[in-house]
Amino acid sequence: MNRQEASNLNIGVVGGTALAKEFIEKTALEYNKEGVDARIIAVADPDPYAPAMLLARDLHLTTVSDYHKLYDSVYNLHLMIILLPDENILLDIIDTKPPDIRVLSFPVFRFLWEAIRVEEKRLKERSEEMETILNGIQDSIVVITPEKEIVEVNDAFQKQMGYTREEIIGQKCHEVFQRTNRQCNTDDIVCPLNEAIRNKRPSQQVLTRLDHNDEHRFIEVSIFPIWEKDGKILRFIEISRDITDRKKEEEKTTRRLEQMVEERTQQLKKSHAILLHQDKMASLGKLSASVVHEINNPIAGILNLTLLIKRIVGEGGCDQKQNDQFLQYLNLMEMETRRVSRIVSNLLVFSRESQMEMNPLNLNLLIDKVLSLNANLLKIHGVKIQKVFDPSIPDIVGSEDQLQQVFMNILSNAVEAMETTDGCLVTILTGASQKDNHVTVRFEDQGIGIPEENLPKLFEPFFTTKRKGKGVGLGLSLVYGIIEEHHGSIKVDSQMGGGAAFIIELPITQPSDGISQQGG
């Protein structure tokens, strides 16, 4: 093969001196690296034990005792570098070499080599300066290639991760950071290098890494890509800081704050319990005063009527007129006695002292019973009842006594709401939805209606719009409580001057965790 057609520059060294050995050491290993297209292939020296001859044999280079042998085309030599100061050797080679082999004389080589040595020294000093600077930085610095190979680290990184340089340099970053052979491209491991490539800007993340003891460390990482002119990445510079101690301290602080919050919560609960008790006592006082006032009024009326009847009877003789008066007085006494009974019943239910017995019952029959018990009340006020009952309504499971109390309270409120109006009709509708597992009862009156601002407060204890002496504001509150205990709901549809409608929904069957059934 013609030497001119060779793709690489083949070099032969003449002389086995220490200078030749230094030259070979610094250049022979660079062959085949990117951008290098020259190589030393042979060394010539009559002394087989010369320093350069020994190194050449170790590197499997050709060694000859006579440099004239290198003229042979089998070596495909392009350049001979003379590393011996004897000028006669230069003159001989010039006279005897083939015309296509070039020669570099010893003086020229020595001049170039000294210049290289000066530059090498300068670069070495600069490198030492940079190494000193990098090692003086407390943050860890790692230089990584696009192939994810670590090529440089500072002392801080070695100290942080507990590795020696020999254990790191040349290793893949994921092999060192995550102790795994697979790259960090899965959902559970985020690769900051890929983030920097994807976003085309520096990447900052907090990651967990394994040190040499397989202990997890929290690392605050900043990745700075170095771009070449053609847009390719030359290197990644990673600057990181171990924040494990800070993270642990934050966790301690969080736990301490959580403990403080828990302690404070317990204190607030105790304070709330005290305030709740005080509020209950205040409510009890308010309730007691209201109950005493409410019960005193009908009892005083009953007592006065009793004394009046007693006085008339004591005077002797009773004509028809007086009998009519007695009947009127007895009716009044009955009403007042019923009012006392209703007040006491409301208090009993409100305090939940009465027993809740859950049994199968029919709402149509129960409402008929309520209407029968209140027939006299309805007659006195001239109130008529329109029943629109669903005859196929299924039985439900509930407390007959409690639901009777609910319907009596709602009916009583409807009657009182129509005292000052021309209305005299209460419509009661029942229905069922097997699909939704509930029955519905609707009471509609023609009363004065309920102001919109009062609707949210309607079921609050002690809230009442009745005039003094007519109630303590517990009726609808106990209605709400009873229905809630039956896992039902109650809604109100009303507007001023348009009457009111109370809609009650009750489940056909009670939840398994509800009130246990009693009775047969």
Side-chain angles (χ1 to χ4, degrees):
M1 181 176 66
N2 191 300
R3 290 186 179 94
Q4 300 301 325
E5 297 175 352
S7 59
N8 294 303
L9 181 66
N10 295 328
I11 301 172
V13 176
V14 178
T17 62
L19 178 61
K21 178 185 177 183
E22 179 186 356
F23 172 60
I24 295 171
E25 287 175 335
K26 293 182 177 181
T27 58
L29 298 179
E30 294 300 316
Y31 174 66
N32 278 339
K33 289 195 174 181
E34 186 177 355
V36 178
D37 55 1
R39 63 174 179 170
I40 297 172
I41 63 169
V43 178
D45 195 285
D47 182 4
Y49 298 105
M53 293 288 282
L54 294 174
L55 177 60
R57 285 195 290 273
D58 289 341
L59 297 177
H60 305 290
L61 304 180
T62 299
T63 57
V64 296
S65 59
D66 185 358
Y67 57 81
H68 294 92
K69 294 180 180 181
L70 298 180
Y71 298 160
D72 194 326
S73 61
V74 70
Y75 297 115
N76 194 29
L77 202 67
H78 303 94
L79 175 66
M80 298 183 71
I81 299 178
I82 302 173
L83 296 184
L84 294 171
D86 189 346
E87 187 175 350
N88 294 325
I89 295 175
L90 171 63
L91 296 175
D92 178 65
I93 291 176
I94 293 174
D95 291 338
T96 59
K97 71 176 182 65
D100 55 352
I101 295 180
R102 297 184 181 184
V103 180
L104 181 64
S105 67
F106 177 74
V108 175
F109 173 83
R110 185 169 58 182
F111 170 76
L112 295 175
W113 193 246
E114 288 300 324
I116 291 173
R117 278 178 171 174
V118 171
E119 185 61 26
E120 180 185 26
K121 182 180 179 182
R122 184 181 299 112
L123 290 174
K124 184 178 180 181
E125 291 174 351
R126 181 59 178 167
S127 177
E128 289 174 350
E129 289 177 2
M130 291 301 298
E131 185 176 350
T132 302
I133 293 172
L134 291 177
N135 290 330
I137 295 175
Q138 297 301 312
D139 291 341
S140 298
I141 298 177
V142 184
V143 181
I144 306 173
T145 67
E147 292 75 32
K148 311 295 177 65
E149 181 179 321
I150 297 175
V151 293
E152 189 58 68
V153 297
N154 67 345
D155 290 347
F157 178 82
Q158 297 177 64
K159 182 178 179 181
Q160 171 184 300
M161 301 299 289
Y163 293 110
T164 63
R165 276 184 65 86
E166 292 72 21
E167 293 173 318
I168 302 171
I169 302 301
Q171 298 294 318
K172 299 291 185 180
C173 56
H174 51 82
E175 294 175 340
V176 175
F177 297 150
Q178 303 296 340
R179 306 292 287 276
T180 178
N181 292 326
R182 59 191 178 94
Q183 294 190 14
C184 307
N185 55 3
T186 59
D187 294 336
D188 56 330
I189 304 177
V190 179
C191 178
L193 305 185
N194 292 341
E195 289 292 308
I197 295 173
R198 181 165 51 251
N199 299 326
K200 298 187 181 301
R201 63 172 183 268
S203 171
Q204 293 182 325
Q205 297 179 31
V206 174
L207 306 172
T208 56
R209 288 176 174 173
L210 293 172
D211 62 13
H212 70 294
N213 293 322
D214 283 340
E215 293 182 0
H216 282 89
R217 311 292 298 179
F218 289 96
I219 309 296
E220 190 176 63
V221 177
S222 297
I223 298 293
F224 299 91
I226 299 177
W227 303 89
E228 293 185 295
K229 291 182 178 180
D230 59 1
K232 294 182 179 179
I233 292 181
L234 178 63
R235 292 286 189 271
F236 293 100
I237 307 298
E238 176 189 293
I239 301 176
S240 61
R241 180 177 302 170
D242 190 331
I243 59 171
T244 304
D245 293 339
R246 190 179 81 191
K247 277 284 186 181
K248 290 181 178 179
E249 188 60 34
E250 288 176 356
E251 290 176 357
K252 288 181 181 178
T253 301
T254 301
R255 287 194 296 269
R256 188 163 57 249
L257 289 175
E258 288 175 349
Q259 183 178 358
M260 291 172 63
V261 169
E262 178 63 25
E263 292 174 355
R264 183 58 179 163
T265 301
Q266 294 300 324
Q267 292 175 358
L268 290 174
K269 285 182 178 179
K270 291 180 180 178
S271 299
H272 177 70
I274 293 172
L275 290 174
L276 187 61
H277 177 70
Q278 292 174 347
D279 184 58
K280 286 182 177 179
M281 296 304 294
S283 298
L284 182 60
K286 180 180 178 182
L287 174 62
S288 300
S290 299
V291 168
V292 168
H293 179 76
E294 287 295 317
I295 294 179
N296 270 341
N297 285 339
I299 288 178
I302 294 171
L303 179 60
N304 289 333
L305 290 171
T306 302
L307 292 174
L308 179 58
I309 294 172
K310 186 178 180 181
R311 181 177 61 80
I312 293 174
V313 172
E315 291 177 351
C318 295
D319 55 22
Q320 184 61 39
K321 182 179 179 180
Q322 288 174 329
N323 286 336
D324 292 340
Q325 284 183 326
F326 288 163
L327 183 59
Q328 182 182 358
Y329 295 156
L330 288 173
N331 286 336
L332 291 174
M333 291 168 68
E334 179 188 4
M335 289 176 58
E336 293 301 285
T337 303
R338 286 184 180 277
R339 189 151 71 95
V340 172
S341 176
R342 189 164 60 251
I343 292 170
V344 173
S345 297
N346 287 352
L347 290 172
L348 185 63
V349 175
F350 188 75
S351 64
R352 297 295 186 267
E353 292 295 332
S354 57
Q355 189 177 12
M356 183 78 81
E357 291 188 5
M358 307 292 278
N359 296 296
L361 58 92
N362 186 280
L363 288 182
N364 289 346
L365 298 178
L366 181 58
I367 295 172
D368 278 335
K369 181 180 178 181
V370 170
L371 294 175
S372 178
L373 291 172
N374 289 271
N376 194 48
L377 173 69
L378 298 173
K379 184 177 180 180
I380 291 173
H381 290 82
V383 174
K384 296 179 180 180
I385 300 296
Q386 180 182 8
K387 298 189 297 183
V388 186
F389 288 177
D390 180 358
S392 63
I393 188 171
D395 289 353
I396 70 166
V397 175
S399 170
E400 182 175 348
D401 291 340
Q402 300 294 349
L403 292 177
Q404 177 178 312
Q405 187 68 39
V406 167
F407 300 146
M408 289 184 70
N409 271 284
I410 294 178
L411 183 62
S412 175
N413 285 345
V415 171
E416 291 179 1
M418 294 188 292
E419 285 182 346
T420 58
T421 67
D422 295 333
C424 61
L425 179 65
V426 174
T427 303
I428 306 174
L429 306 94
T430 63
S433 172
Q434 296 284 354
K435 180 181 179 181
D436 297 330
N437 188 42
H438 72 261
V439 295
T440 304
V441 181
R442 182 182 180 97
F443 286 81
E444 297 178 355
D445 64 56
Q446 297 176 332
I448 59 175
I450 303 170
E452 185 178 353
E453 64 271 15
N454 289 342
L455 290 175
K457 301 179 287 184
L458 207 56
F459 299 105
E460 292 181 3
F462 308 121
F463 175 76
T464 181
T465 58
K466 298 176 182 178
R467 62 181 182 272
K468 191 173 182 181
K470 281 290 183 178
V472 293
L474 291 177
L476 288 179
S477 178
L478 73 90
V479 165
Y480 184 86
I482 292 171
I483 293 174
E484 190 177 53
E485 288 201 2
H486 281 75
H487 301 281
S489 65
I490 181 169
K491 296 182 290 184
V492 183
D493 183 12
S494 178
Q495 56 184 2
M496 285 303 294
F502 285 78
I503 305 99
I504 299 170
E505 287 189 356
L506 295 168
I508 297 174
T509 56
Q510 291 293 317
S512 58
D513 60 345
I515 304 171
S516 61
Q517 297 185 20
Q518 300 181 17

